[in-house]
Amino acid sequence: MYKYLLIGGNGFIGTNIIYKLLEKGRDVYCIDVYDSNTKNIDDKHFKSFINDLSDTDLVKELVDATDIIIYLASTSNVRDSSSDSLIELGNIESFINTLEIIKEYKNKKLILASSGGTVYGEPGDMPVNEDHCLMPISPYGIGKVCVENFLKYYSSKYGIKYVICRYSNPYGQFQNPFSGVGVINKVLYDYHAGNETEIIGNPDASVRDYIYISDLVDATLEVAENKSAENNIFNVGSGRGHSLTEILTEIESVLGYKLRLKKGNFGIENVSKIVLDITKINETVGWNPKIGLREGISLNNEWIKQILDVQK
């Protein structure tokens, strides 16, 4: 029964992982500067610490008490770091400081959340596998490549066991609809709130790989607890590409309503097309996604309605 530490665990992905781990009866520790999604969890197996990573004594205690560390901490996204690239320096520094602590513990395993949607840049032929060269076109993607490389360096020098998960575009429950990140979540929220949705770029040309959050969580825990996955990199996605036009059509089908859309500008930092090859994770640990696009949108829609009901 592994004990887990989630660093930056109160966000979208981390919250879903925490609930899944508690469902499995695992002991879970979380450190984050926010407590928005997990503050109401009442479970003897869960302990939350609202703090940043500068408290090295606390981080050491938590690393010492656990077996698997899932690193999700980040203060940026593609949009934010494109307007202020220096944000990524803070992310990189925090990760290196964490590695400096973990390197003293030879029996720990570190799972790093990376970004399959940004690290490959514009790869051309798709789907793209893990061996493809990394050519990010955004500061956010550059930052992810940097921390990946630091992790591989520390593993080589100090023997840290790791898994890098390059996630595609996740969506689903606990994703913040007010952040403007996550097109499916944002479009559904705008519909129920009576807002127009700003569509960036050409919806026919914008192609992404979308994964429902429960599939992402299952994949993460599979590679975390499977020894054959150690010291490896895995794409985690659906393995299928959908244009923004397809996404909007599916959403309209689920809602039974024509969306109100407006055009926005497409930043040069946004990848136009990316689809991940998920053969490696399937062959290594036997994982495949279970939730199709239509079902995922329906589940996300129920989550948005639940949020709005709480606000009333």
Side-chain angles (χ1 to χ4, degrees), residues 140-152:
Y140 179 80
I142 293 168
K144 291 297 184 184
V145 172
C146 186
V147 296
E148 281 192 17
N149 285 335
F150 270 110
L151 176 53
K152 287 183 281 188

Side-chain angles (χ1 to χ4, degrees), residues 15-255:
T15 301
N16 281 278
I17 291 175
I18 287 169
Y19 276 105
K20 186 67 174 182
L21 288 171
L22 294 176
E23 181 185 311
K24 290 175 171 286
R26 303 289 197 269
D27 288 332
V28 184
Y29 299 81
C30 175
I31 181 170
D32 202 324
V33 293
Y34 305 107
D35 68 347
S36 55
N37 286 330
T38 61
K39 60 185 176 183
N40 295 322
I41 294 179
D42 182 16
D43 192 302
K44 66 180 182 180
H45 295 286
F46 179 66
K47 292 183 179 179
S48 178
F49 299 85
I50 308 307
N51 212 323
D52 62 31
L53 298 180
S54 64
D55 188 343
T56 55
D57 289 336
L58 174 59
V59 177
K60 286 177 182 177
E61 288 180 20
L62 296 176
V63 169
D64 186 60
T66 52
D67 307 300
I68 297 174
I69 300 101
I70 301 180
Y71 194 95
L72 299 151
S74 178
T75 59
S76 65
N77 54 46
V78 172
R79 182 183 58 197
D80 293 341
S81 62
S82 296
S83 59
D84 182 9
S85 299
L86 292 176
I87 293 175
E88 296 304 328
L89 290 179
N91 289 328
I92 294 165
E93 181 180 10
S94 294
F95 186 65
I96 294 173
N97 288 338
T98 304
L99 290 174
E100 282 291 313
I101 293 171
I102 295 174
K103 75 179 187 182
E104 304 298 331
Y105 297 86
K106 303 302 181 185
N107 60 335
K108 310 298 180 181
K109 184 189 292 185
L110 177 60
I111 314 302
L112 173 64
S114 188
S115 172
T118 64
V119 297
Y120 298 112
E122 299 279 7
D125 294 337
M126 286 179 283
V128 59
N129 67 29
E130 294 86 349
D131 294 327
H132 195 282
C133 61
L134 304 181
M135 299 180 65
I137 61 174
S138 66
Y140 179 80
I142 293 168
K144 291 297 184 184
V145 172
C146 186
V147 296
E148 281 192 17
N149 285 335
F150 270 110
L151 176 53
K152 287 183 281 188
Y153 167 75
Y154 271 74
S155 176
S156 176
K157 186 170 183 178
Y158 301 107
I160 294 176
K161 294 181 289 186
Y162 73 89
V163 178
I164 295 171
C165 293
R166 290 177 178 163
Y167 298 132
S168 65
N169 289 56
Y171 66 102
Q173 64 176 352
F174 297 116
Q175 190 172 25
N176 182 2
F178 313 110
S179 68
V181 177
V183 64
I184 293 175
N185 203 52
K186 181 69 166 61
V187 170
L188 289 169
Y189 175 78
D190 283 342
Y191 163 73
H192 288 291
N195 303 329
E196 283 186 314
T197 296
E198 185 177 51
I199 300 301
I200 307 299
N202 180 352
D204 293 322
S206 178
V207 177
R208 297 285 189 278
D209 183 327
Y210 298 88
I211 181 171
Y212 190 71
I213 187 61
S214 62
D215 282 332
L216 181 151
V217 170
D218 289 344
T220 303
L221 299 187
E222 282 286 347
V223 298
E225 299 190 1
N226 194 316
K227 290 187 180 298
S228 64
E230 288 179 3
N231 299 341
N232 238 318
I233 301 171
F234 297 100
N235 286 337
V236 179
S238 68
R240 297 183 178 182
H242 297 281
S243 71
L244 182 52
T245 298
E246 291 177 74
I247 295 297
L248 296 173
T249 300
E250 286 288 345
I251 291 175
E252 288 179 337
S253 179
V254 167
L255 296 175

